[in-house]
Amino acid sequence: HPGLEYKIGSCASNQIVSYISHADIVLVSPHLGYMLNDLKKTYPDKQFYLIPAEAYAEQDVERIIARMNHTDDSGEYGNHRLISKIASFANTSKELSAISSAMTNLMVVLVTGSIFTLLLNLPWPAAADLIKGTLIEKMLLLGADMTINFMSVYAVFLMGYYYASYFDVSSPHAGINALICFLLIICSPGTELNRGLIDMTYLGAKGVFCAIFTAIISVRLYASTDHFG
């Protein structure tokens, strides 16, 4: 950069301990924004700056230097303050991070269910007629029911499991507890329950939001009672 004598280096997040002693200013990339507060506490003598996502994507050195010089509080950067706050919240939110981890691991269920659904709806009439009413069709229907139509069950367990990792509690226990709470909710007296059969309406995609909120509340309650216990 004209008029400035900067020596710039880069390292991965797991190499910070080795490199930070050589740095006067540390620029943190947007996807590592969740580490910013911890880094400031661990290394209070260092200056840390979070690179704006747009400047990082465009490799805009001018805007990154403007960030370092605090000129982003007005002018062009002033228009991005709300977006930066939202991005910062997304990076540091325990709830959003847990949801992201749960949904990422839920993909294997969705992909498997999609395969069963695809095989049930082959575009060739001859193939569809061949499996209609057979054991193969029943197995494919069962596969779809136990994957896509059972999505909320897997989601509430995974959400509880990953959300519990932010508290000093057992993740498997928290996940099972979230699952039990979810089943108790959808099996309320107003729901059809007969001979051990559960109405599957809210076990699929319709129950995902309920599963997420149930997991968050149950994990927080579980964590609070565990600490008091």
Side-chain angles (χ1 to χ4, degrees):
H1 187 277
L4 297 175
E5 295 182 359
Y6 288 162
K7 183 178 180 181
I8 301 174
S10 64
C11 69
S13 58
N14 59 355
Q15 299 175 312
I16 291 177
V17 176
S18 302
Y19 282 82
I20 199 167
S21 60
H22 305 289
D24 298 312
I25 299 174
V26 180
L27 299 173
V28 181
S29 54
H31 61 281
L32 298 178
Y34 66 93
M35 300 176 61
L36 190 60
N37 290 333
D38 290 337
L39 287 171
K40 288 181 178 180
K41 293 177 182 178
T42 306
Y43 306 100
D45 58 324
K46 299 294 181 180
Q47 297 183 55
F48 292 91
Y49 296 96
L50 181 64
I51 302 174
E54 188 175 346
Y56 181 82
E58 297 177 0
Q59 298 183 8
D60 191 334
V61 178
E62 295 289 343
R63 297 176 67 181
I64 294 174
I65 292 176
R67 178 71 169 180
M68 293 165 53
N69 293 330
H70 300 283
T71 58
D72 57 309
D73 289 333
S74 61
E76 182 183 2
Y77 270 114
N79 298 326
H80 298 285
R81 294 184 67 184
L82 178 59
I83 298 176
S84 297
K85 289 181 180 179
I86 295 174
S88 177
F89 171 76
N91 281 329
T92 58
S93 172
K94 297 181 179 67
E95 290 77 14
L96 290 180
S97 179
I99 292 172
S100 176
S101 298
M103 293 305 162
T104 299
N105 285 274
L106 194 62
M107 286 301 298
V108 64
V109 177
L110 298 179
V111 171
T112 303
S114 298
I115 294 174
F116 284 117
T117 304
L118 179 63
L119 294 175
L120 278 168
N121 297 277
L122 292 173
W124 303 291
D129 293 339
L130 184 63
I131 66 173
K132 187 175 182 179
T134 65
L135 180 61
I136 294 176
E137 182 185 41
K138 293 179 181 179
M139 294 298 295
L140 293 176
L141 286 169
L142 180 62
D145 283 339
M146 293 298 102
T147 51
I148 293 178
N149 295 335
F150 227 62
M151 183 167 57
S152 290
V153 174
Y154 303 121
V156 71
F157 174 80
L158 289 171
M159 178 65 191
Y161 182 93
Y162 286 105
Y163 191 47
S165 65
Y166 294 99
F167 305 91
D168 191 20
V169 294
S170 168
S171 290
H173 290 166
I176 293 173
N177 183 64
L179 175 58
I180 292 172
C181 291
F182 177 68
L183 292 177
L184 287 174
I185 290 174
I186 65 172
C187 292
S188 62
T191 303
E192 181 182 352
L193 179 62
N194 186 28
R195 296 180 182 177
L197 298 178
I198 302 174
D199 183 3
M200 295 185 66
T201 302
Y202 295 101
L203 295 182
K206 287 186 177 181
V208 170
F209 282 106
C210 178
I212 290 173
F213 287 114
T214 300
I216 291 173
I217 295 171
S218 65
V219 169
R220 283 194 169 273
L221 290 174
Y222 179 69
S224 62
T225 55
D226 184 77
H227 287 313
F228 284 118

